[in-house]
Every structure is written in C-alpha cells, then in structure tokens.
C-alpha cells in the first residue's frame, strides 16, 4: 500500500514552490505599484495639450524627466523578475507597460509628429525588444496596444484643437492615424485583447474624419492645396 | 480554437468597405517606403510567427491528450491480474512513445521562446499525460511518479544538423500542470476502485480508495493555489465520497454474499451521482 508519506512529499514540494513564487510576486507587485505612479502623473501633465498649445513643449519636457524615473523603475523590475519567467508574471506589469507605450509614443508625436518605433519606446523604458528565451523585454502586443490608445487620445486632441482655432493639427492627426490604421490592417490579429482594442480604432478614425469633414465643408482648412481641393467635392457628394 | 481565429481574422477587411472614402485615400497614400509601413510589416511577421507556433503547439498537445486518454482506457479495461500486467507493459510503451514523439516536439518547438509564453497551448496535453503516467505507475508498482522524475524524462539529446554534436533539449513541465494531472488522477482511481469491486477484487479497491484519500488530504494542505487547482480540489472531494460510498456498500452488503456477488452492491453508488468527469465509458 502506498505510503502516505510519499504523497505528502509530493504536496509539500509543490507548496514550497508556490510560496517561493508568491514571494517573488509580492516584490513585483510592490515595485509595479511604485512605477505605475508615474504613469498617472505623466498623463496628468500631458492633459495640458487639450487646452493650451504653448503648454505642450514644457509638458513634454516635464514628462521626459518623469520618464527617467520610470526607466529606473524598469531597471529594478528587470532585476527582480527571474530571467526565464517573463511571461509567468507578465500580468503584473502588462497594463502599466501598455500605458507607458501610449505615453511615450504620445510625447514623441507631440514633439516631432512621428511614430515612435517599437525600438524607440523600449529604449526609453530601458528594456530590449527581443523576445528571447530569457530576459525582460517589451512585448510587441503591449506596444501595439499603446499605439491604439494613442489614436484615441489623438482623436480627442483633434476635436480640441479645432476649438482653439488650430485647423492644421486635425489634418496632421488625420494623416497619422490613417497611416496607423492601414498599418494595423496588415496585421493578422487573433481573437484576443489586442483585437478588442483594435476594433475600437475605427471609432477614433471616424471621429477624426468627422472633424476633418466639418472643417473641409466649411472651407476652414488652412490654404487647401491641390490634394485637399480634390477631397472637398468628394466629401460633399457623399453627404 | 483555431477555427475561431481564422474566421475572425478576415472580418475587419470586409468591414473596412464601410469606411468613408477619406480612409480609403489614407490607405493609398501610405508610401511603399514609409517607416510606418515597414514597422507594421515587421510586426505582422512577428505576430503571425507567434500564432503559427501556438497552433502547432495546440496540435501537439491535442495529440498527447488523445493518446493519453487511450492509455488510461487501456488500463481500465484490464480486469484480471495477468491482463493488468500486460496492459501496464503496453501502456508504458505507448507513454514512452509519447515522450519521444509529441512531447519531444513540444520541447523543440519551444526551444527558442520564453518559457511560459505558450503555457496555455500545451497545458491540457501535459495534464492528461501526467494523469496517464501516474495511473500507470500506480498500477505497476503502487507508487506515484514524482515531478522531478517526469521532468527528467523530458530531457533529450538532439543531434545537431552536422550529425556529430548533440545538444540538450528540455521540455519544460510546469509544476502546476503536474498537480492538475494528479487531481485528475483521483477520478481515474475512483473508477478503478469501483471497477475492482465489480470484479470482486477487494484488495485493489481498498488500495485505490486509500490513494484517493491521500491525494485529497494532501491537496487540502495547499494554499495560495490558483483558481484551476482549487476547482479541481472540490471535484476531488466528490470523488473521495463516491469511492468511500462504494467501499461502504461493498463492506455492508458484501458480507452477506460471496465475493463474486459484490457486483450488485458496487453499482449502488456508481449511478447515483452525476459525474462531471470526462466520462469516456
């Protein structure tokens, strides 16, 4: 007959493993909480873009300084997470990382008007982009979700820039988001959280288009060049 | 799982037809050499690579599951002692083939990816395999194969392409999957105990009952376990009471009859409770 002892050993070995795991989890959770604080601060700082054009570049500078601290946080996180277990504990920092991807790409767009690449975002966070057997990296999914969040924020910005008589920015936003939209259509997205977020993109696109349409139909677009002139009658026939 | 993905994948393209003309122009305006396009092409490549790997793993895992289930069935079908011996030998062979086949392929497939990324794809296969493996070892020599022992079996020497050197490949077995497999084992043991009563093998049924009890009491001591294992613990509890009920019936009523007539007593409980186990009988 089987020894009770042997079965007990099975379970105690497992229990020990669970306890070790929970200690690691605890440390990660606390660290993530700390790092996540900055994301809220940066978000708050950047809100200025919706009501003041002049406030944008100082806000970006301030956000950049905060990002340095985030970078330090990620360095600590990298140390704590066991090299092989990135995906085991990923849930703890996933949401936070997505937010940072969004914030970093937003800052870069505000500063230069270009799309921050996966590498650039990872570099700001101080982590790698390579998905290897070991190590801490920026998951491609998280980066893409960050970009989708960026589109939502830009849709809001398009509306608000019109309110403060900036008719040029919505056009730039429209071009940028359209580019992203057609880029995303190249991806074969599975039925997961990324796809859910992606499905929301069309609403952002539509909102931006409405803004551009409103401007174009009222002739408010800044010095319509050849391309815009072509667009206008087209839009009118559709309505 | 795979069907769902394929179907969903093609939807946005159709829906896109409804987008206003401005959006269509936007697409056309994306220059072939734009960095955005390059970035997304790269991302598309990476994403589909990951998805393909996932699909392949799911398939391997399913192969493992099916064969493990068959092995378990084989072990159940043996009634007499000689038949059991034969069944165990065949079961061992088939399990070994699994280790050398699909499970090795899982290891090779995951060789260059992070450990837990595809855990969800393979967990079902592992659990079923553990169930079959431990069941087989219990019938062979009344011991449960431990986690380190199984993990050790999952190490392979693979020949490099040049044909001379070998490299080590390990199929990583999450400890959680092992425990989940053990939890499922109680269901098999319950069935085994009841079958043994039916065939008049009291010794065997007492033994199976005892193992189920041990496994259950061991799992009671665990804390901080995930949702899945806690759920299985409740299933274990019902298994324990079913076995105990059957043994009780045998004990009380079996007294009045020769051991060949225990059949009637044993089936008493088997139909009584609704079983939420897979039920492949």
């Amino acid at each position: 007959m089987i020894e009770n002892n042997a079965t007990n050993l099975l379970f105690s070995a497992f229990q020990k493993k669970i306890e070790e795991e929970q200690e690691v989890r605890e440390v990660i959770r606390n660290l993530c909480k700390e790092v996540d604080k900055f994301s809220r601060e940066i978000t708050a700082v950047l809100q200025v873009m919706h009501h003041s054009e002049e406030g944008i570049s100082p806000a970006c500078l301030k956000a950049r300084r905060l990002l340095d601290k985030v970078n330090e946080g990620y360095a600590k996180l990298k140390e704590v997470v066991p090299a092989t277990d990135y995906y085991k504990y990923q849930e703890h920092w996933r949401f936070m990382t997505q937010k940072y991807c969004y914030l970093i790409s937003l800052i870069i767009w505000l500063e230069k008007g270009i799309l921050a690449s996966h590498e650039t975002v990872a570099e700001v966070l101080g982590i790698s982009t390579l998905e290897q057997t070991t190590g801490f990296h920026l998951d491609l999914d998280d980066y893409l979700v960050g970009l989708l969040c960026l589109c939502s924020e830009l849709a809001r910005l398009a509306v608000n820039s019109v309110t403060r008589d900036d008719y040029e920015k919505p056009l730039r936003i429209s071009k940028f988001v359209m580019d992203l939209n057609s880029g995303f259509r190249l991806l074969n997205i599975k039925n997961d959280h990324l796809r859910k977020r992606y499905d929301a993109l069309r609403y952002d696109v539509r909102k931006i288009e409405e803004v551009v349409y409103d401007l174009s139909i009222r002739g408010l677009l800044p010095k319509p060049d050849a391309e815009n002139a072509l667009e206008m009658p087209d839009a009118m026939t559709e309505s | 799982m795979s069907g769902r993905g394929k179907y969903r994948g093609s939807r946005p393209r159709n829906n896109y037809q409804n987008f206003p003309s401005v959006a269509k122009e936007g697409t056309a305006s994306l220059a072939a050499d734009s960095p955005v396009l390059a970035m997304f092409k790269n991302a598309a490549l990476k994403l589909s690579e990951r998805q393909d790997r996932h699909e392949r793993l799911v398939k391997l895992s399913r192969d493992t599951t099916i064969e493990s289930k068959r092995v378990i069935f084989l072990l159940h079908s043996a009634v007499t002692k000689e038949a059991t011996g034969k069944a165990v030998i065949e079961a061992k062979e088939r399990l070994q083939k699994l280790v050398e086949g699909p499970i090795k392929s899982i290891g090779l497939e995951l060789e260059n990816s992070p450990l837990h990324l595809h855990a969800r794809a393979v967990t079902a296969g592992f659990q079923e395999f553990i169930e079959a493996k431990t069941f087989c070892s219990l019938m062979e020599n009344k011991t449960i194969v431990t986690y380190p022992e199984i993990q050790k079996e999952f190490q392979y020497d693979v020949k490099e392409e040049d044909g001379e050197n070998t490299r080590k490949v390990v199929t990583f077995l999450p400890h959680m999957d092992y425990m989940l497999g053990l939890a499922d084992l109680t269901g098999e043991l319950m069935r085994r105990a009841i079958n043994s009563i039916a065939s008049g093998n009291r010794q065997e049924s007492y033994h199976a009952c005892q193992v189920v009890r041990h496994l259950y009491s061991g799992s009671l001591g665990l804390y901080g376990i995930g949702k899945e294992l806690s759920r299985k613990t409740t299933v274990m509890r019902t298994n324990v009471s079913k076995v105990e009920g059957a043994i009780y019936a045998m004990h009380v009523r079996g007294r009045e009859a020769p051991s060949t007539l225990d059949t009637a007593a044993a089936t008493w409980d088997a139909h009584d409770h609704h079983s939420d186990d897979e039920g492949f009988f």
Side-chain angles (χ1 to χ4, degrees), chain B residues 219-230:
Chain B
S219 75
L220 283 179
L222 297 176
Y223 58 90
I225 49 181
K227 238 191 292 174
E228 226 178 330
L229 192 51
S230 329

Side-chain angles (χ1 to χ4, degrees), chain A residues 4 11 14-15 17-19 85 87 131-133 139 141 179 182 185 187-188 190-191 202 209 234, chain B residues 4 12 15 19-21 23 27 30 44 47 50-51 55 111 114 116-117 175 179 214-215 222-223 225:
Chain A
N4 195 4
F11 286 98
F14 180 61
Q15 183 64 48
K17 211 164 197 178
I18 286 187
E19 273 161 33
D85 292 353
Y87 285 98
E131 176 194 304
Q132 285 166 323
T133 43
D139 200 45
D141 279 23
D179 280 2
S182 43
R185 288 193 304 112
L187 306 180
N188 176 22
K190 272 290 169 76
N191 195 12
R202 68 187 61 168
E209 274 166 8
D234 198 76
Chain B
R4 170 178 81 180
N15 287 0
F19 275 174
S21 67
T27 322
L30 197 55
L47 278 184
R50 191 187 275 190
Q51 283 160 6
E55 291 303 329
E111 202 180 356
H116 302 274
L117 176 58
H175 206 155
M179 297 316 280
H214 284 329
L215 285 175
L222 297 176
Y223 58 90
I225 49 181

Side-chain angles (χ1 to χ4, degrees), chain A:
Chain A
M1 191 150 283
I2 190 166
E3 289 287 315
N4 195 4
N5 222 348
T7 5
N8 278 348
L9 275 178
L10 287 180
F11 286 98
S12 57
F14 180 61
Q15 183 64 48
K16 205 172 139 220
K17 211 164 197 178
I18 286 187
E19 273 161 33
E20 284 164 10
E21 216 181 282
Q22 287 205 317
E23 271 166 39
V24 178
R25 251 176 230 285
E26 193 58 35
V27 177
I28 293 177
R29 202 177 298 133
N30 286 334
L31 204 51
C32 284
K33 225 186 265 168
E34 218 173 278
V35 181
D36 196 28
K37 262 195 318 216
F38 299 114
S39 79
R40 264 161 277 149
E41 208 174 330
I42 296 175
T43 318
V45 165
L46 288 176
Q47 286 305 303
V48 77
M49 70 181 170
H50 290 297
H51 55 82
S52 146
E53 184 70 40
E54 300 76 44
I56 290 180
S57 62
C60 284
L61 275 178
K62 198 167 171 208
R64 285 263 184 193
R65 272 203 300 280
L66 285 166
L67 278 178
D68 286 340
K69 287 187 193 156
V70 175
N71 187 307
E72 285 165 28
Y74 270 89
K76 273 189 229 160
L77 198 57
K78 215 160 51 173
E79 272 171 38
V80 174
V81 179
T84 52
D85 292 353
Y86 179 86
Y87 285 98
K88 190 169 184 176
Y89 302 109
Q90 193 194 19
E91 288 311 311
H92 292 288
W93 57 78
R94 176 163 231 169
F95 187 59
M96 168 179 100
T97 304
Q98 289 170 356
K99 250 193 299 186
Y100 280 122
C101 288
Y102 147 61
L103 289 170
I104 291 168
S105 54
L106 176 61
I107 293 170
I108 289 179
W109 189 84
L110 287 172
E111 285 173 350
K112 302 204 187 78
I114 56 165
L115 171 69
S117 67
H118 187 196
E119 286 76 16
T120 317
V121 176
E123 204 186 305
V124 175
L125 291 176
I127 53 184
S128 109
T129 53
L130 289 175
E131 176 194 304
Q132 285 166 323
T133 43
T134 56
F136 198 96
H137 63 279
L138 177 59
D139 200 45
L140 184 61
D141 279 23
D142 293 343
Y143 165 69
L144 292 173
V145 171
L147 290 187
L148 292 168
C149 296
L150 170 68
C151 291
S152 307
E153 192 65 15
L154 287 181
R156 191 179 152 213
L157 182 62
V159 173
N160 289 330
S161 2
V162 172
T163 326
R164 56 164 191 268
D165 293 336
D166 181 351
Y167 302 139
E168 183 261 346
K169 196 165 250 160
L171 277 184
R172 276 206 297 140
I173 292 174
S174 160
K175 170 88 175 63
F176 181 77
V177 174
M178 292 311 164
D179 280 2
L180 280 188
N181 184 33
S182 43
F184 269 103
R185 288 193 304 112
L186 291 175
L187 306 180
N188 176 22
I189 305 176
K190 272 290 169 76
N191 195 12
D192 56 6
H193 65 108
L194 181 58
R195 132 142 259 130
K196 241 193 223 154
R197 195 62 194 72
Y198 166 68
D199 286 342
L201 176 62
R202 68 187 61 168
Y203 300 104
D204 300 328
V205 168
R206 195 170 75 181
K207 195 163 179 191
I208 296 170
E209 274 166 8
E210 276 167 13
V211 172
V212 173
Y213 172 74
D214 280 343
L215 290 180
S216 71
I217 203 168
R218 291 172 181 77
L220 288 172
L221 289 179
K223 53 172 172 61
D225 48 32
E227 197 186 323
N228 289 331
L230 275 177
E231 221 169 275
M232 274 167 51
D234 198 76
M236 290 217 273
T237 47
E238 240 183 47
S239 60

